[in-house]
Each structure stands twice: as structure tokens, then as C-alpha cells.
Amino acid sequence: MPSLIRAVKSKMFIFAHRRTLTLLDGEYGSVFKGRSLDFDELRTYVPGDEVRDIDWKATARHGSPLVKRYVAVRRHSVLLLVDTGRNMAAEAFSGESKKDIAVHAAGVVGYLACRHGDDVGLVHGNASAPRYRPAKNGEEYLERLLREIDSSITLDSQPSDLAGLLDYVLRFIKRRMLVVVVADEFLPDARTEDLMRRLRARHELLWLTVRDAELAPGMDAPATDSSRLQGSTDVATGNGIPMALSSDRAVRAAYEHAMILRADRREGLFRRLGIAEEQATGSDDVLTAVFALLEKHRSGARTSRAGAARGQRGG
């Protein structure tokens, strides 16, 4: 099997000039500015210590002032949280498999981390069980992670369970990390929203969404094109939509309106939770999406380019 990380790097250097890669490195590095200290231990307060370092709960239990001691973090950790359920075997907006886009996105983020000497780990899985690979350094290890993502996403996989992955990270990953979620364009339910809120409080959280395919992508093709004779199938449920139905103008108009409403709800949710989210329509769009995501996280902006554009079309 050809090297996945080599393919990621080749595409990055084809689509990006050296100046763009330098800017991308800068945006990645800015995520950790001001966050380069890790808690080490509690010790007795001495005159001259910062009052803001006092641990008031521990002080109350101990009976005398205790302060938190920190140590410098020289190597950071990035955790790739990737949905590898059956949903990600579906077609994306670009016509590619969502799996290929997810592997490329994980590769771009992982390669940036490697360039900075940081460690990369992985949490992925489906409704059966999450799988965890601890954070380590090096392109050889990143290649193993990308291959695991690639081989785990099939049409025979269990359905996606992003809530289960988020819950796993909250329960078992205690050290603060940069967590980059790669998932499809789903609408979180109340439980998932609560998990996202809690994860955002504990880690640096970025969210990259792989856009769904259109209802009937072959509609603009010539009447003789075979793609116009095919219906759509929901990979998650296996339910099909006959072409006669998916090509009906009224059905398509209702579907597009529903998708605009869903996009508005998703956008509002990410903004409310304070989570930077960006969307990729295909693998050629990943580099731009990652750059925008890092920039958005640094600046505090939460609205995705794709969501804003879709909202304008809906108006």
C-alpha cells in the first residue's frame, strides 16, 4: 500500500506555496501560545507567590494556603478524534469517499504536529467500541495512525457513535491536549452537545466537518448519463431514495431548505459552545479548511466559511 503520509505531504506541497506553509505553521504554533505550562504539584504558599496560583479548595481541606506548581511543557500533544463508523464510508460533497477526506485531514494536522516536534495520538471507533492509540512522535507512527483510520472505515462497519468517542476522551484522557475532531455533517443531540461542552472546557477543541453529498448529485448531468438513473442511499441506515423521488423539484427544494435550517442550527450550536468549526467539501479543500480552522481558533471566530455561504444562499 502506498504511503499515506507521503500522499498527504505531496498534496500539501502541490496546493500550497512555501509562504502558505509558513503561515500554516504559524497558525498551528499560535494554538499553544500562553498554554505551555502543565500542573506539577501542590506546595505550601510562601511570600512572593502569585495569589492567583493558590488552590482554594485544597487550601480549605489542608488548613493552610497551598499553591499550584507548574512546569514548562516543551512538547505538546495532539489528539485526532476521528469518526470511523459506517457513516464515513459514504460519499462526500465532492464525490469522494468521506473516508479519504478524513484520512487526508488527519494527515495534514498530524504532519503539522510532527513538523513542530509534537506528539500525535488517536481516538477512533464506531458504535461497537472506541479505540485509543497514545500520543507519540514521528512520521512513521503517524503513518500507522492514518492506516488504522483508513482500514477501519468500511460499509460493513458499525454505525457511527461520536458521542461514545467524546465520552471516552472525557473519561480517560486527563492531560490537556489539542483535540481535533474529524466527523461528518451530523446534528448533535442533547447528550452529544453536553459532551462537547465539557470537552471544550477541558481541552483545546477544534472541529473539522466533512460535508455530505447532495441528495441527487447526478441531476445536472446529461439525460443519457447513468448517474441520473441512480437513486441515493443512506449509508447509515441502508434506506434508499428512488431517483424519481430525489429528482422531484419539490422534494429537492424541501430537502435544500431543511439542510439550510440544519446548517443554521449547527452553526449556532458551535458558536454557543465556543468551538471553532470548519468544513471541507473534498480533499482539495482540506488544507484551506485546516488553515481557516486554526486561524478561527486563534481569533475566537466560530462561523464556518461553508456555513456562512450556505446561509447567504438560503436568504
Side-chain angles (χ1 to χ4, degrees), residues 130 164-174 198-199 202:
L165 300 181
L166 298 173
D167 182 64
Y168 181 91
V169 174
L170 279 168
R171 286 191 292 123
F172 297 110
I173 308 298
K174 302 303 181 183
R198 291 163 56 195
L199 197 65
R202 187 174 297 179

Side-chain angles (χ1 to χ4, degrees), residues 193-210:
E193 181 178 345
D194 179 63
L195 292 168
M196 292 166 66
R197 179 182 296 107
R198 291 163 56 195
L199 197 65
R200 166 70 176 82
R202 187 174 297 179
H203 299 278
E204 297 296 324
L205 182 59
L206 305 181
W207 201 286
L208 185 64
T209 298
V210 180

Side-chain angles (χ1 to χ4, degrees), residues 90-292:
E91 186 177 294
F93 191 86
S94 64
E96 303 166 85
S97 167
K98 290 181 182 178
K99 175 180 78 169
D100 294 338
I101 301 170
V103 169
H104 187 60
V108 168
V109 175
Y111 177 59
L112 283 174
C114 288
R115 282 169 64 95
H116 285 254
D118 293 335
D119 297 333
V120 183
L122 172 67
V123 168
H124 75 97
N126 48 48
S128 61
R131 298 172 184 171
Y132 171 58
R133 300 292 177 259
K136 297 181 182 179
N137 185 254
E139 291 187 20
E140 183 177 342
Y141 185 67
L142 177 59
E143 176 73 23
R144 288 170 53 192
L145 299 184
L146 298 183
R147 286 180 180 271
E148 184 162 338
I149 295 171
D150 183 73
S151 63
S152 298
I153 302 175
T154 70
L155 289 172
D156 297 323
S157 300
Q158 292 291 315
S160 296
D161 180 19
L162 195 57
L165 300 181
L166 298 173
D167 182 64
Y168 181 91
V169 174
L170 279 168
R171 286 191 292 123
F172 297 110
I173 308 298
K174 302 303 181 183
R175 179 184 174 187
R176 189 174 182 86
M177 292 185 173
L178 172 63
V179 178
V180 182
V181 178
V182 181
D184 72 350
E185 202 174 357
F186 83 115
L187 183 63
D189 57 18
R191 176 180 176 240
T192 306
E193 181 178 345
D194 179 63
L195 292 168
M196 292 166 66
R197 179 182 296 107
R198 291 163 56 195
L199 197 65
R200 166 70 176 82
R202 187 174 297 179
H203 299 278
E204 297 296 324
L205 182 59
L206 305 181
W207 201 286
L208 185 64
T209 298
V210 180
R211 287 280 307 278
D212 290 340
E214 296 180 279
L215 178 62
M219 279 303 296
D220 295 328
T224 55
D225 194 310
S226 61
S227 64
R228 292 203 57 172
L229 304 178
Q230 301 172 2
S232 299
T233 301
D234 184 343
V235 167
T237 64
N239 296 328
I241 306 174
M243 192 63 187
L245 184 61
S246 62
S247 61
D248 183 271
R249 292 186 182 279
V251 172
R252 289 176 65 82
Y255 174 82
E256 290 172 3
H257 180 66
M259 292 302 98
I260 290 172
L261 293 179
R262 185 183 73 165
D264 288 343
R265 288 179 62 189
R266 291 183 82 254
E267 183 180 313
L269 182 146
F270 282 104
R271 184 185 295 112
R272 185 169 66 253
L273 296 180
I275 298 172
E277 186 251 359
E278 193 54 62
Q279 301 182 358
T281 59
S283 59
D284 291 349
D285 193 35
V286 165
L287 194 62
T288 303
V290 170
F291 183 90

